């Protein structure tokens, strides 16, 4: 494993008066009440406890290491970083989302897997944690018809609490920030909690189940994730997708409609709701959702889908604009070059189309797609 990054934070105190702001309670919709449970069968999923459970031998080894480090005067939050750095030297990145035990056994996993493992060690030492959600390049990837955003977590392990002084509020606590796979060009995108981590674990498994067309597993993982982040727009989105895949368009529409009405919206959710509206033939709703998407940040795959639709309906210049914007955001996606090559060919710009196909070949890693791209380029060279 490439060296993980350590950032040590220091303690800052500010004097302030204590006050308790009054916030009105807003009742949020319950996703579980919107799901048509008769359509799906719940299967066994890993329990919250089992996600973080360390093998007995590993727990003993870690605690013995921690005892020795403490004798050497190392602060307990730093101990976890040292242990990860020493013990995971052969760890390799892999897209699987795994429990702590699985991560140790297989010596691979993604950033959620490592955040889960770090939490397990923090539990063993009784330390508190928080998390930061991080976006890294390549930001966008697509597999089995689903869009994945390469967001991962990094972990803040806090030092043990010190005795508080009267009339002093602690703003920053000392701790160690552990960033996994830092060479991937990551940048901070938001704070996250333990509940977010557990929900992300189950949500990733739900996405994998979708890709494998295992709707019962996807249903079960969505229910588990919902226990920890019940107001997550992406869970409403996946629940809508679940019903649409199962042919229950009526309940899919209710789920999307409820989410939008309660401001539990995301680009993915609006985009999928728009696809459902098209399927239902609701032209006015499609236009309304299109307007909403125009005010939201689009990811490259959304722009790609939009451009493909515009190409089919004859809006070539619009397709070009959307493809060029997508390439600005994600110049590493080969399919964008392919589609833009089609646009340029239709515009009579054959040489530019050839150059774009060569870029598509440069960035493509799938052998089957490479064969297609090379065949298209070869056909152009003979014209």
């Amino acid at each position: 494993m490439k060296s993980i990054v350590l950032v040590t934070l220091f303690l800052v105190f500010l004097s302030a008066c204590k006050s308790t702001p009054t916030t009105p309670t807003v009742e949020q919709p319950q996703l579980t009440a919107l799901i048509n449970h008769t359509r799906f069968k719940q299967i066994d999923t890993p329990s919250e406890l089992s996600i973080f459970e360390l093998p007995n031998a590993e727990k003993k080894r870690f605690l013995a290491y921690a005892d020795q480090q403490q004798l050497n005067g190392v602060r307990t939050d730093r101990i976890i970083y040292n242990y990860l750095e020493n013990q995971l030297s052969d760890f390799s990145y892999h897209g699987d989302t795994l429990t702590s035990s699985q991560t140790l056994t297989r010596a691979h996993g993604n950033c959620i897997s490592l955040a889960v493992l770090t939490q397990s060690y923090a539990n063993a030492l009784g330390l508190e944690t928080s998390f930061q959600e991080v976006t890294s390049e390549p930001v966008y990837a697509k597999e089995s018809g689903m869009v994945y955003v390469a967001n991962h977590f990094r972990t803040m392990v806090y030092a043990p609490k010190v005795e508080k002084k009267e009339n002093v509020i602690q703003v920053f606590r000392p701790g160690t920030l552990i960033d996994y796979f830092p060479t991937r060009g990551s940048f901070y995108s938001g704070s996250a909690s333990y509940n977010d981590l557990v929900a992300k674990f189950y949500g990733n498994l739900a996405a994998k189940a979708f890709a494998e067309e295992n709707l019962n597993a996807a249903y079960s993982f969505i229910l588990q994730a919902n226990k920890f982040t019940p107001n997550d727009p992406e869970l409403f989105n996946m629940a809508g997708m679940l019903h649409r895949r199962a042919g229950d368009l009526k309940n899919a529409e209710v789920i999307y409609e409820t989410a939008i009405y309660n401001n539990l919206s995301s680009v993915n959710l609006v985009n999928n709701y728009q696809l459902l509206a098209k399927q239902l033939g609701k032209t006015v709703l499609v236009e309304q959702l299109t307007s909403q998407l125009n005010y939201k940040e689009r990811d490259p795959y959304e722009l790609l889908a939009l451009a493909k639709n515009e190409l089919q309906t004859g809006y070539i210049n619009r397709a070009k604009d959307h493809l060029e914007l997508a390439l600005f955001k994600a110049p590493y996606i080969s399919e964008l070059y392919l589609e833009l090559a089609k646009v340029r060919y239709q515009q009579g710009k054959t040489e530019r189309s050839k150059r774009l196909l060569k870029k598509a070949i440069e960035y493509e890693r799938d052998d089957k797609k490479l064969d297609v791209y090379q065949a298209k380029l070869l056909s152009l060279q003979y014209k």
Side-chain angles (χ1 to χ4, degrees), residues 64-189:
Y65 175 88
D67 287 342
Q68 184 59 51
Q69 288 270 294
Q70 285 179 312
L71 287 175
N72 294 335
V74 180
R75 203 173 64 186
T76 48
D77 53 300
R78 179 62 185 263
I79 289 171
I80 294 176
Y81 167 80
N82 292 343
Y83 190 77
L84 287 170
E85 183 76 349
N86 292 333
Q87 298 298 113
L88 301 180
S89 57
D90 296 326
F91 190 91
S92 60
Y93 182 85
H94 192 280
D96 288 343
T97 299
L98 305 172
T99 67
S100 290
S101 181
Q102 290 170 331
T103 299
L104 290 167
T105 300
R106 302 179 193 183
H108 73 232
N110 58 18
C111 293
I112 296 299
S113 304
L114 281 179
V116 165
L117 181 60
T118 304
Q119 181 66 43
S120 298
Y121 293 133
N123 290 345
L125 294 181
L127 297 178
E128 294 180 53
T129 59
S130 67
F131 303 90
Q132 294 180 358
E133 194 164 4
V134 177
T135 302
S136 56
E137 295 183 9
V139 179
Y140 302 98
K142 191 174 185 180
E143 182 181 332
S144 302
M146 293 188 67
V147 175
Y148 295 90
V149 183
N151 281 25
H152 65 271
F153 278 21
R154 57 191 183 194
T155 306
M156 167 63 74
V157 182
Y158 293 107
K161 287 184 177 179
V162 294
E163 186 178 348
K164 292 183 179 180
K165 297 180 180 179
E166 190 176 354
N167 296 324
V168 173
I169 295 177
Q170 182 176 315
V171 178
F172 297 108
R173 287 180 58 188
T176 300
L177 180 64
I178 304 173
D179 192 1
Y180 316 104
F181 308 109
T183 57
R184 299 172 68 214
S186 59
F187 57 90
Y188 175 81
S189 61

Side-chain angles (χ1 to χ4, degrees), residues 22-293:
T22 302
T23 304
T25 302
V26 178
E27 187 174 347
Q28 293 289 346
Q30 297 298 312
L31 178 59
T32 52
L34 301 173
I35 293 174
N36 183 0
H37 299 278
T38 62
R39 285 271 183 170
F40 313 101
K41 180 181 178 181
Q42 191 164 3
I43 65 171
D44 290 337
T45 57
S47 67
E48 178 188 358
L49 181 63
S50 70
I51 294 172
F52 301 99
E53 192 170 21
L54 292 169
N56 288 332
E58 171 62 17
K59 189 172 183 178
K60 288 180 181 178
R61 182 163 48 248
F62 171 67
L63 290 176
Y65 175 88
D67 287 342
Q68 184 59 51
Q69 288 270 294
Q70 285 179 312
L71 287 175
N72 294 335
V74 180
R75 203 173 64 186
T76 48
D77 53 300
R78 179 62 185 263
I79 289 171
I80 294 176
Y81 167 80
N82 292 343
Y83 190 77
L84 287 170
E85 183 76 349
N86 292 333
Q87 298 298 113
L88 301 180
S89 57
D90 296 326
F91 190 91
S92 60
Y93 182 85
H94 192 280
D96 288 343
T97 299
L98 305 172
T99 67
S100 290
S101 181
Q102 290 170 331
T103 299
L104 290 167
T105 300
R106 302 179 193 183
H108 73 232
N110 58 18
C111 293
I112 296 299
S113 304
L114 281 179
V116 165
L117 181 60
T118 304
Q119 181 66 43
S120 298
Y121 293 133
N123 290 345
L125 294 181
L127 297 178
E128 294 180 53
T129 59
S130 67
F131 303 90
Q132 294 180 358
E133 194 164 4
V134 177
T135 302
S136 56
E137 295 183 9
V139 179
Y140 302 98
K142 191 174 185 180
E143 182 181 332
S144 302
M146 293 188 67
V147 175
Y148 295 90
V149 183
N151 281 25
H152 65 271
F153 278 21
R154 57 191 183 194
T155 306
M156 167 63 74
V157 182
Y158 293 107
K161 287 184 177 179
V162 294
E163 186 178 348
K164 292 183 179 180
K165 297 180 180 179
E166 190 176 354
N167 296 324
V168 173
I169 295 177
Q170 182 176 315
V171 178
F172 297 108
R173 287 180 58 188
T176 300
L177 180 64
I178 304 173
D179 192 1
Y180 316 104
F181 308 109
T183 57
R184 299 172 68 214
S186 59
F187 57 90
Y188 175 81
S189 61
S191 61
S193 66
Y194 169 84
N195 281 356
D196 292 318
L197 174 63
V198 180
K200 180 73 76 175
F201 177 90
Y202 288 122
N204 282 0
L205 295 182
K208 182 180 179 182
F210 267 121
E212 296 171 351
E213 296 293 333
N214 189 342
L215 298 189
N216 287 331
Y219 162 74
S220 303
F221 287 123
I222 289 169
L223 290 182
Q224 285 287 65
N226 184 69
K227 294 177 183 177
F228 295 90
T229 55
N231 299 320
D232 184 355
E234 294 307 331
L235 293 181
F236 280 79
N237 175 48
M238 283 201 285
M241 290 171 57
L242 179 71
H243 286 77
R244 186 167 169 241
R245 290 269 183 99
D248 187 352
L249 304 187
K250 180 181 177 181
N251 277 289
E253 185 178 18
V254 169
I255 291 169
Y256 286 129
E257 187 178 56
T258 303
I260 295 287
Y261 180 79
N262 288 276
N263 295 318
L264 300 176
S265 178
S266 70
V267 170
N268 288 333
L269 188 145
V270 176
N271 189 57
N272 280 298
Y273 190 13
Q274 184 189 51
L275 293 174
L276 176 64
K278 287 179 181 178
Q279 190 175 350
L280 294 171
K282 296 192 173 185
T283 307
V284 175
L285 178 58
V286 170
E287 292 175 355
Q288 291 172 345
L289 294 170
T290 300
S291 297
Q292 285 194 37
L293 283 172

